[in-house]
Amino acid sequence: MSRLGPLDAGFLELEDTDQHVSAGIGVVAILGGKPGERDAFGRELGRRVAVDDRLRQKVRRGPLDISAPVWVPDTDFDLGHHLTWAALPQPRDEQALWQLVATTMERRLDRDHPLWHCTVVEELDGDRWAMILCAHHSMVDGVSGVSLFERLCDPPPGVSGRAPDPPQAETPQAQRRGLLHRATTVPAQAVRAAVAAPRVLARTALGMAPLVWNIVDPRRGSSLNGPIGRQRRYAVARVRLDDIHRVRAEFGGTVNDIALVAVTAALRAMLLARGERPRPDTIRVLTPVSTRSANARGRLDNRVSVMLPLLPVDLADPVDQLRAVRTQLGRLKHGSETGAGQTLIALAGLVPFGPMAWTVRAALRYPQHGIAALATNVPGPTETLRLFGSDVHDLAPFAPIAMRLRLGIAMLSYRDTLCFGITGDYDSTPDTDLIARTIPAAVTTLLDRARR
């Protein structure tokens, strides 16, 4: 058994607090050719899930949430709980695929089984097929999720493709030893927290103060913040990385800076189309920042902090937007907010789980008004992957929405393309396609300015 960390368990609390939330993150792989015969596909997938024990483990919660949830082997593991085949209606185009992605990802994963699912889409136009892979956010973040997908892919030429043997079920004696260990370590954790807290409390409070204020301040709302339903919309935009690099060469900045400018332009267009005035304090986005070291890239858990930048939607000129984004992100990266978030997560690991869980649950019930959207960027593979004998042509990311955020934009690079996966609440965000059209147009405008 292994215990879920505070952030991992927090995503379970996120679902438990709001019945409209599904905390699954995912990737849509578009591949060439055909997926092959179903039985053979299932046998091969069953072999490949042995790449990580977590794919055969389920969550077991402690009584009354006094102790942290733990991952335990699913002794009755059955691939049939995790593999679905689907067909698209004519003309079997990407628009139909994105609708299927939305309806697939809005469904919660079954906690009676390991928290992942694979949907195979047998036929996509242009002699292609697709795979929708979903995992609960308590199991992976963006970086570890991409690493897991790469391990499920075909091995490079010359590398053995044999997966490790399936993990053995934990014995009852080992389970009892684990329970005894946790019972004896809870008091020690409390003592460590009492010793450590005074040393970092002032520094953490100083960094957390602007984070908390930006979340609870009700004066900066927009139509992007509000209650959400159970249904989702999904759209995709693609931008050539070569175009982004040409913009960088002229104006400076990082790939993430320019991606956020494209998001800024899209959100500005959305507000204007809705008849809202884009103000400088209107759109604050939740931007996860990976704290994962290189040697922990394949470990399935969550290792992130957050930034809350204000996007300059009040500015119409994309070059001015880029300058503003670079200035603000630079200030946040060198400020205390990101470090404070990371410290708070570390301190949560020293606090007994029960009080921590009850505090998180209460905080999640508070209706935040200060954050308008999620924007997350994960670097992906640079070389072409193969999966079940097919070339992976495209990868599109999916990010869940929650906490009154009606819009989530996940960015994933693959080969020569940066893909934007846009998740919207079905009822309140019917204009996800406007965002998908505006993002590449914004990069094209920057590229035209760079060529002058």
Side-chain angles (χ1 to χ4, degrees), residues 207-208 210-212 214-215 254 256-257 260 283-291 304-311 325-342 345 370-377 405:
M208 288 301 297
L211 282 173
V212 173
N214 291 329
I215 292 172
T254 65
N256 190 59
D257 292 339
L260 281 180
I283 302 297
R284 187 178 295 276
V285 295
L286 175 66
T287 305
V289 178
S290 178
T291 60
V304 296
S305 185
V306 296
M307 293 191 299
L308 295 174
L310 272 169
L311 298 187
V325 165
R326 291 184 63 190
T327 298
Q328 182 159 182
L329 290 184
R331 180 183 63 80
L332 290 174
K333 289 173 184 176
H334 295 94
S336 58
E337 293 182 28
T338 303
Q342 188 175 354
I345 293 171
I371 306 174
L374 167 74
T376 178
N377 190 355
L405 303 185

Side-chain angles (χ1 to χ4, degrees), residues 131-172:
M131 178 185 292
I132 306 168
L133 283 169
C134 174
H136 200 280
H137 216 325
S138 62
M139 188 170 84
V140 295
D141 59 15
V143 174
S144 60
V146 169
S147 174
L148 175 62
F149 178 78
E150 290 181 275
R151 285 188 284 157
L152 289 172
C153 285
D154 300 349
V159 178
S160 172
R162 190 184 74 83
D165 294 331
Q168 298 297 313
E170 192 171 27
T171 64

Side-chain angles (χ1 to χ4, degrees), residues 39 42 65 68 78 217 251 271 287 308 312 323 334 408:
D39 289 342
D65 281 339
D78 186 337
D217 184 4
F251 299 115
L271 291 173
T287 305
L308 295 174
R323 293 193 188 100
H334 295 94

